[in-house]
Amino acid sequence: ESLSRRLRIRFRTAALTLEEAAKYVRHQLRQAGREAPLFSEESVARIYEHSRGLISQVNDLCFKAMLKAAADSKEIIEPNLVDSIHEG
């Protein structure tokens, strides 16, 4: 039986604006205990562009960018790293 047939409730959110996406990323980082900036403003803009403001894709790109940044010992995530994740 397909998952879509088993789900009784479906919820769809509208895509975030750039400003909302930036606030969302900052909020999620604060909830995880990170007060200092991790993503440059331009990298958040790239995440927004690549994700089209869809929360699940924002989450996915941020997660992959943080993994790559940790592997590369980067303290700030810059746009080129986000682009490489998206293209990768």
Side-chain angles (χ1 to χ4, degrees):
E1 186 175 346
S2 77
L3 179 61
S4 64
R5 289 179 34 205
R6 289 185 294 191
L7 293 176
R8 303 237 186 258
I9 298 173
R10 292 181 189 205
F11 186 75
R12 188 173 298 216
T13 59
L16 301 175
T17 65
L18 173 57
E19 182 179 338
E20 290 169 333
K23 286 180 181 179
Y24 175 75
V25 170
R26 285 192 303 270
H27 172 76
Q28 292 296 92
L29 289 170
R30 277 195 304 275
Q31 292 300 306
R34 174 78 181 206
E35 293 297 327
L38 180 61
F39 294 88
S40 70
E41 287 184 31
E42 183 61 30
S43 64
V44 172
R46 295 285 176 82
I47 289 167
Y48 171 75
E49 290 170 20
H50 295 315
S51 70
R52 299 177 314 278
L54 301 174
I55 292 175
S56 62
Q57 291 186 24
V58 169
N59 288 336
D60 186 52
L61 286 169
C62 286
F63 179 75
K64 289 177 180 176
M66 289 187 292
L67 284 178
K68 176 77 170 139
D72 294 348
S73 300
K74 302 285 184 187
E75 292 192 26
I76 298 291
I77 296 172
E78 297 294 344
N80 60 336
L81 190 145
V82 174
D83 290 341
S84 72
I85 295 299
H86 177 69
E87 295 165 1

